[in-house]
Amino acid sequence: MTSIDLNADLGEGFGRWRLTDDEQLLTVVTSANVACGFHAGDAATMRRVCELAAARGVRIGAQVSYRDLAGFGRRAMDVPPAELAAEVAYQIGALEVFARAAGSRVSYVKPHGALYNRVVHDEEQAGAVVEGVLLADAALPVLGLPGSRLLELAAKAGLPAVTEAFADRAYTEEGTLVPRGRDGALLSDPEAVVERSVDLARLGTVTSHSGALIEVRARSLCLHGDTPGAVDLARRVRERLETSGVRVEAFA
């Protein structure tokens, strides 16, 4: 039977502000990408999400990013490699404290936003992320875009490289994500997102923004938690996957 992991970005709030419905999404997903305080999240939020995830058997992942609270980690930044490596390790370590306190552990690492897109092609920044992961835990899987420099360097360093696809993002013909600022970068039709999820899981294909059918082989499927109706959409995706013969399970 075909299987796939469902992940979502969680803990994306700060102080009194909450962007994601963590409690409800954790009843659907199998892996939680927890914001580690650099693009969103704070100590109390990280602790709460780790406790909820551990109680539900959901894997905890460190969603590391550039230090950019004001821009939600989506602004391009130039960070020296040594500094970026240290900051990646710092974020993982902070989340690990709360994960272990909840009776779990950090099971994988995923970059966020501008950093995620940067390490698709930028070898220097990708290498810095890998170095940061190695500093924190030399056995942690790294989640990223198929064909990215990040996953290539992670595999060379002996880290498990896990491919990821996006159900609600438009793709270029090269298999990269269409930038958020462009029209059609985000899929707004729930049924289209559900159908794409099944195609990605069962066929490993997706129709690009230009209409071309491209191959996207992924072990994990990302559902964004900050979009309107995210919880209902996540439930629909999981239900359709399971009724289509796809087993939903964590990769880590």
Side-chain angles (χ1 to χ4, degrees):
M1 178 183 289
T2 300
S3 66
I4 199 162
D5 170 67
L6 288 182
N7 77 74
D9 302 344
L10 301 178
E12 292 186 329
F14 192 82
R16 62 177 291 189
W17 307 108
R18 293 191 184 182
L19 187 60
T20 49
D21 189 343
D22 301 323
E23 290 85 354
Q24 292 303 311
L25 282 167
L26 283 167
T27 67
V28 182
V29 300
T30 46
S31 297
N33 317 316
V34 184
C36 298
F38 272 39
H39 74 280
D42 53 35
T45 301
M46 292 161 67
R47 180 180 183 182
R48 176 179 56 82
V49 175
C50 284
E51 290 174 345
L52 290 169
R56 290 165 171 74
V58 175
R59 302 296 188 269
I60 296 170
Q63 187 162 42
V64 299
S65 71
Y66 289 126
R67 188 189 292 271
D68 182 26
L69 273 176
F72 196 60
R74 288 182 176 159
R75 297 185 292 191
M77 303 182 76
D78 290 314
V79 180
E83 182 178 337
L84 179 58
E87 291 192 336
V88 166
Y90 178 92
Q91 292 175 76
I92 298 169
L95 188 65
E96 179 72 6
V97 169
F98 298 118
R100 288 195 177 274
S104 185
R105 59 181 295 273
V106 171
S107 296
Y108 65 95
V109 178
K110 174 185 172 178
H112 164 82
L115 181 59
Y116 187 97
N117 292 320
R118 181 76 171 266
V119 297
V120 171
H121 301 295
D122 191 315
E123 182 166 357
E124 186 177 66
Q125 295 284 278
V129 172
V130 170
E131 182 185 347
V133 176
L134 291 170
L135 281 170
D137 185 339
L140 278 176
V142 176
L143 188 60
L145 208 66
S148 64
R149 297 297 289 153
L150 174 67
L151 293 191
E152 180 183 342
L153 294 178
K156 286 183 178 179
L159 298 169
V162 183
T163 53
E164 175 184 40
F166 292 81
D168 57 0
R169 290 293 306 275
Y171 280 82
T172 68
E173 289 189 23
E174 293 73 36
T176 59
L177 301 179
V178 172
R180 281 181 172 268
R182 287 179 53 185
D183 289 340
L186 294 172
L187 274 66
S188 57
D189 179 4
E191 184 58 27
V193 174
V194 171
E195 291 179 0
R196 171 174 283 192
S197 299
V198 175
D199 287 344
L200 283 165
R202 297 191 64 189
L203 305 176
T205 60
V206 66
T207 301
S208 73
H209 192 54
S210 61
L213 189 67
I214 60 173
E215 183 176 298
V216 179
R217 298 287 177 181
R219 179 66 188 85
S220 185
L221 183 65
C222 180
L223 302 171
H224 283 100
D226 60 345
T227 55
V231 174
D232 288 340
L233 180 57
R235 286 177 176 148
R236 287 182 60 182
V237 167
R238 177 156 187 167
E239 180 181 4
R240 185 73 65 84
L241 286 170
E242 292 175 336
T243 57
S244 299
V246 178
R247 183 173 62 249
V248 178
E249 62 180 6
F251 67 83

